[in-house]
Amino acid sequence: MKKITLLVVGVVTSCLVLMSACSTNDTVSSSENESSEKQKESQSIGKEEKIIKEGNGNKKLTTSILNSNIEKFLEGKAEVVYNNANPNIGIDNEGFKFDVEQYQVVHVTDIKNVSDSRDGQTKGRVDLKNVYDSFDRKREGYVITVKAKIDNQSGSNALLTDPRLIGNDEYDVLMTNLIMVNKDELLSPDIGAIDKPTYYKDGETDTGIIEYVLSTKKFNELQKGNVKMMIPWAFKNNDMSDQLGKVHNVDFPLN
């Protein structure tokens, strides 16, 4: 009888140990599966949705390039390395309003058909020479694309010359380069044409793109300083003698 009792106890004990081991294995397996899933998810995000730095210290999943024509025009690769979707830049010059809705820094690499190694001249793409020279005659550089809105509530027709970026001092100025922007996407189709300026009629609004093109060296220099966007006053006439408001220098961080 004692032998039977001991045998039963032994069997029950073995079952309990086996159930405990199975439970432990299930827990470990579940934990490993959960960890594996998280790792796969992390790798998936890393591959498909690259994280870029967002303005104001936030992080955001890769955004589309504001000027989709960059890669096609340069026959290279373009990647957004900084995007500010909420720049909080807006001025009001006596009713003539200029607001920056978004801007981004695009790193361009592997430009094709740029130069002939014998004479340094562009091959077949005369229009590309403009950007190539801005890139210090290299196959990579940076493009700063700005999406802005103009709302003319000044009570009269008015024009605005293109805003500029200012680096270390007032002489370190970067002018717009609009060669890669499609005409229907420009903030002003004839921006900067002093002899035939484009007027915004009173009450008219316009949203579009302006751009700045610069070399890697120039971009690195600008990042070290306190970059400003200089937004000029608006004018009521061709000779720019009758102005609206004043010049505004606003912070324009690039990283």
Side-chain angles (χ1 to χ4, degrees):
M1 186 67 180
K2 287 183 179 180
K3 289 183 179 180
I4 294 174
T5 302
L6 288 173
L7 180 60
V8 170
V9 171
V11 170
V12 171
T13 302
S14 299
C15 289
L16 290 174
V17 170
L18 182 59
M19 289 173 63
S20 175
C22 290
S23 176
T24 301
N25 287 337
D26 288 344
T27 303
V28 171
S29 178
S30 175
S31 176
E32 287 178 348
N33 288 338
E34 185 178 351
S35 176
S36 177
E37 288 299 322
K38 286 183 177 180
Q39 186 175 3
K40 288 179 181 179
E41 182 181 353
S42 175
Q43 290 174 346
S44 176
I45 290 176
K47 291 179 180 178
E48 298 176 7
E49 297 179 315
K50 184 178 178 181
I51 301 296
I52 63 172
K53 188 171 182 181
E54 179 74 6
N56 302 325
N58 298 321
K59 296 283 185 177
K60 185 177 181 179
L61 295 177
T62 301
T63 186
S64 59
I65 297 176
L66 282 175
N67 182 5
S68 58
N69 192 46
I70 292 177
E71 283 190 330
K72 180 180 179 181
F73 184 92
L74 296 177
E75 301 182 55
K77 299 177 182 178
E79 178 187 14
V80 178
V81 294
Y82 178 76
N83 181 67
N84 195 331
N86 186 27
N88 195 28
I89 297 176
I91 62 100
D92 186 344
N93 278 336
E94 299 180 29
F96 190 93
K97 302 173 183 179
F98 178 90
D99 294 283
V100 175
E101 297 185 342
Q102 181 183 359
Y103 69 89
Q104 58 187 206
V105 177
V106 178
H107 184 208
V108 183
T109 56
D110 298 329
I111 299 173
K112 300 183 185 301
N113 301 330
V114 174
S115 67
D116 188 318
S117 60
R118 293 171 297 176
D119 56 15
Q121 298 300 310
T122 54
K123 291 197 294 187
R125 289 286 309 280
V126 177
D127 57 347
L128 192 58
K129 186 177 187 301
N130 178 292
V131 177
Y132 182 50
D133 288 343
S134 296
F135 284 175
D136 286 346
R137 308 183 73 76
K138 299 184 185 301
R139 293 187 60 196
E140 74 165 313
Y142 287 84
V143 179
I144 301 171
T145 305
V146 179
K147 180 182 179 183
K149 178 181 179 180
I150 285 177
D151 181 11
N152 182 17
Q153 302 296 330
S154 65
S156 66
N157 294 341
L159 63 93
L160 179 74
T161 57
D162 53 332
R164 306 171 185 180
L165 297 186
I166 302 176
N168 296 324
D169 53 54
E170 59 183 315
Y171 302 105
D172 185 11
V173 177
L174 192 63
M175 307 291 290
T176 55
N177 186 328
L178 310 177
I179 195 169
M180 289 184 286
V181 185
N182 290 325
K183 187 175 181 180
D184 59 350
E185 293 182 307
L186 276 173
L187 180 62
S188 177
D190 299 319
I191 194 167
I194 305 300
D195 56 336
K196 294 181 180 179
T198 298
Y199 282 94
Y200 288 97
K201 296 179 181 179
D202 182 39
E204 182 181 356
T205 62
D206 185 31
T207 300
I209 289 174
I210 57 175
E211 278 186 336
Y212 307 86
V213 180
L214 59 164
S215 66
T216 298
K217 179 180 178 181
K218 182 63 178 177
F219 177 71
N220 291 335
E221 290 175 355
L222 284 178
Q223 282 194 107
K224 296 176 183 177
N226 182 22
V227 182
K228 302 278 188 181
M229 171 178 273
M230 186 192 79
I231 306 170
W233 42 56
F235 299 92
K236 296 181 180 180
N237 54 357
N238 285 4
D239 61 12
M240 300 183 179
S241 59
D242 192 359
Q243 65 192 43
L244 292 166
K246 62 179 182 179
V247 175
H248 299 260
N249 291 326
V250 297
D251 289 334
F252 195 84
L254 299 178
N255 53 27

